[in-house]
Amino acid sequence: MRPLEDVKILDFTHVLAGPFGTRVLADMGADVVKIMSAVRETGRTQQDSPYYLMWNRNKRSLAFDMRHEESRQLARRLADEADVVIDNFSLGVLDRWNLGYEIVSETNPGVIYVQMSGMGATGPWSDFVTYAPTIHGLGGLTYLTGVPGRGDIGIGYSYNDHQAGLHGAIAVLAALEGRRSTGRGQRVDLSQFEVGVNFAGLALLDWFGNGRSASPVTNREPYDNNAPHGCYPCAGAASDALVDERWVAIACMSDDQWCRFRNVLGDPEWARDPALATTRGRSEAAEILDQRIAEWTKGLTAEVVMERCQAGGVPAGVVQTGLDLCERDPQLKLSGFLAEIEEPHPMAGRTYADRLPIYFERTPCDEYRPAPVVGQHNAEVLSEWLGMSEEDVRRGEEAGYLS
């Protein structure tokens, strides 16, 4: 039995942030019922989209066309049975459907509502529509993770969506624990924008404490003087194409690690310079140091550099590609982190799972089902949650409000 198998979650989330959070909870055994509609299928929400397939495994699907009053009434009844109702719509959507917390909590006082809007429920920007790239920009992540002189380079994937999803999952768990002692649920307001700003914490402290404005620093640490600390080019590229370049990350975090790295390098004469014996000296000579190290790494494959450094007590890792992670990484292969889902998807066929990276000794979370198609579990869920008959469900599907 998985840890959350007695938890019922009514899931109105879409795209990535919300679905990632509910995927974590579903992996842990929660009965996550995803409200979907064929009339709203576009782009990343299409049932056979890799994006949708990735973030919606282990869930069940109900097909509701919320333009119909009958759909809204059924959703209202489901909310009365739910432990958790979660959405990442813009503000006010559930309220307009008469599904808001104030209404539902009157008949279901134990219900927990988690609202994962872009900017939170209050403030001058609360009605903004957001996606991860806009949150990255507003929260400072694009600027801080860029390179000097370029304001258009930053995080290249939806980092903040993942972080917001994890915050949403933690919020659910915390609210469930709070309900154990109070007997009541609560509304939880999660601002994805503030999640992003939270990751700029050191930059904010530097501004408020010292009046210094943070700036992009590429691979160097902005608040420590550790060196060498960066990514270095290696041999072994399959072609001259940028995508085939091979790199290794090396981070010497102390004078002792620098001494160890000197031994890995073969203790060359340039590395014996007394100015490099201290953290300050190496930091001041960082550019020249990086050039020297790059001359060495270019003659070796990234894997060899990593293995030599690690054997010598120096933190280092190959800058891995997707192909490396899926087919070459021995650590992931041994743990079975990436595996095919046994049950084929009705539309996509074979699909794969990156397993939950948390291992429970007594309640293992190792069950993986493919993402559902729209309405796949109409009869199943409506029977279990509301006691509806198959005939009632069939009539709803024919009438169009279960679609």
Side-chain angles (χ1 to χ4, degrees):
M1 181 175 178
R2 291 175 291 174
L4 300 181
E5 286 196 2
D6 60 343
V7 176
K8 292 181 177 179
I9 299 177
L10 195 58
D11 181 0
F12 287 95
T13 67
H14 63 124
V15 191
L16 200 166
F20 181 62
T22 53
R23 190 189 86 165
V24 171
L25 299 169
D27 286 351
M28 293 182 181
D31 182 12
V32 176
V33 174
K34 187 172 182 64
I35 304 302
M36 304 171 64
S37 176
V39 301
R40 288 179 57 87
E41 271 196 275
T42 56
R44 294 175 179 179
T45 63
Q46 289 181 307
Q47 301 169 75
D48 59 351
S49 161
Y51 205 86
Y52 168 80
L53 296 171
M54 175 66 73
W55 312 123
N56 291 285
R57 69 181 184 218
N58 278 343
K59 303 175 187 180
R60 298 198 287 178
S61 166
L62 277 180
F64 278 4
D65 185 347
M66 299 299 285
R67 296 174 300 179
H68 293 263
E69 178 60 26
E70 294 89 344
S71 296
R72 294 193 290 270
Q73 289 177 359
L74 281 176
R76 174 71 176 79
R77 291 173 60 192
L78 288 165
D80 273 344
E81 300 297 321
D83 295 293
V84 178
V85 178
I86 183 170
D87 81 278
N88 62 337
F89 292 134
S90 299
L91 286 179
V93 173
L94 293 186
D95 293 309
R96 290 195 294 272
W97 291 337
N98 289 322
L99 285 170
Y101 175 76
E102 296 298 336
I103 294 174
V104 174
S105 62
E106 291 181 359
T107 51
N108 183 4
V111 72
I112 294 160
Y113 265 61
V114 177
Q115 185 174 42
M116 298 177 56
S117 63
M119 309 302 292
T122 59
W125 292 350
S126 61
D127 61 348
F128 277 20
V129 176
T130 63
Y131 288 93
T134 58
I135 292 292
H136 292 164
L138 286 169
L141 293 176
T142 299
Y143 178 71
L144 292 174
T145 59
V147 298
R150 291 289 301 273
D152 58 340
I153 296 177
I155 299 175
Y157 73 106
S158 300
Y159 176 79
N160 205 77
D161 277 346
H162 292 80
Q163 296 302 324
L166 288 174
H167 277 69
I170 292 171
V172 168
L173 297 176
L176 287 171
E177 181 64 20
R179 191 177 67 176
R180 290 180 59 187
S181 58
T182 66
R184 295 190 61 86
Q186 60 183 301
R187 177 166 44 199
V188 179
D189 177 26
L190 191 158
S191 166
Q192 296 187 43
F193 169 55
E194 292 180 18
V195 169
V197 174
N198 180 63
F199 289 100
L202 288 176
L204 296 174
L205 285 174
D206 200 16
W207 171 256
F208 288 115
N210 304 311
R212 286 195 297 259
S213 179
S215 60
V217 291
T218 60
N219 290 321
R220 295 181 185 170
E221 289 193 285
Y223 300 106
D224 290 294
N225 294 319
N226 297 310
H229 188 283
C231 294
Y232 303 92
C234 295
S239 73
D240 292 332
L242 183 65
V243 70
D244 286 328
E245 288 183 353
R246 304 298 289 171
W247 295 76
V248 67
I250 301 172
C252 286
M253 308 299 288
S254 66
D255 292 342
D256 177 67
Q257 286 180 355
W258 165 247
C259 292
R260 292 172 180 272
F261 187 48
R262 280 177 47 185
N263 291 332
V264 172
L265 292 169
D267 200 21
E269 183 176 350
W270 63 264
R272 301 174 192 164
D273 184 343
L276 300 179
T278 65
T279 297
R280 180 181 293 275
R282 291 193 302 278
S283 180
E284 292 174 350
E287 289 188 15
I288 296 176
L289 196 57
D290 285 346
Q291 293 174 9
R292 292 287 195 178
I293 294 170
E295 292 172 0
W296 174 69
T297 59
K298 285 178 181 178
L300 302 167
T301 67
E303 289 77 12
V304 168
V305 174
M306 176 182 70
E307 290 166 1
R308 289 187 182 180
C309 287
Q310 290 288 354
V314 178
V318 175
V319 178
Q320 297 203 96
T321 65
L323 187 63
D324 291 328
L325 293 170
C326 292
E327 298 186 2
R328 300 174 184 143
D329 189 298
Q331 188 74 21
L332 296 181
K333 184 176 181 179
L334 178 66
S335 68
F337 180 72
L338 301 170
E340 181 180 349
I341 295 177
E342 292 184 10
E343 179 185 343
H345 188 270
M347 297 174 64
R350 297 170 63 189
T351 56
Y352 297 81
D354 52 320
R355 65 172 297 155
L356 183 73
I358 307 170
Y359 301 87
F360 294 86
E361 180 180 359
R362 298 186 183 278
T363 55
C365 298
D366 53 7
E367 299 176 26
Y368 297 97
R369 302 187 310 274
V373 296
V374 174
Q376 180 178 343
H377 303 100
N378 278 359
E380 185 177 297
V381 171
L382 291 173
S383 173
E384 292 178 14
W385 282 41
L386 302 181
M388 288 178 61
S389 68
E390 289 188 13
E391 178 64 20
D392 289 337
V393 174
R394 184 185 62 78
R395 281 198 295 266
E397 290 172 342
E398 291 174 351
Y401 60 85
L402 292 179
S403 64

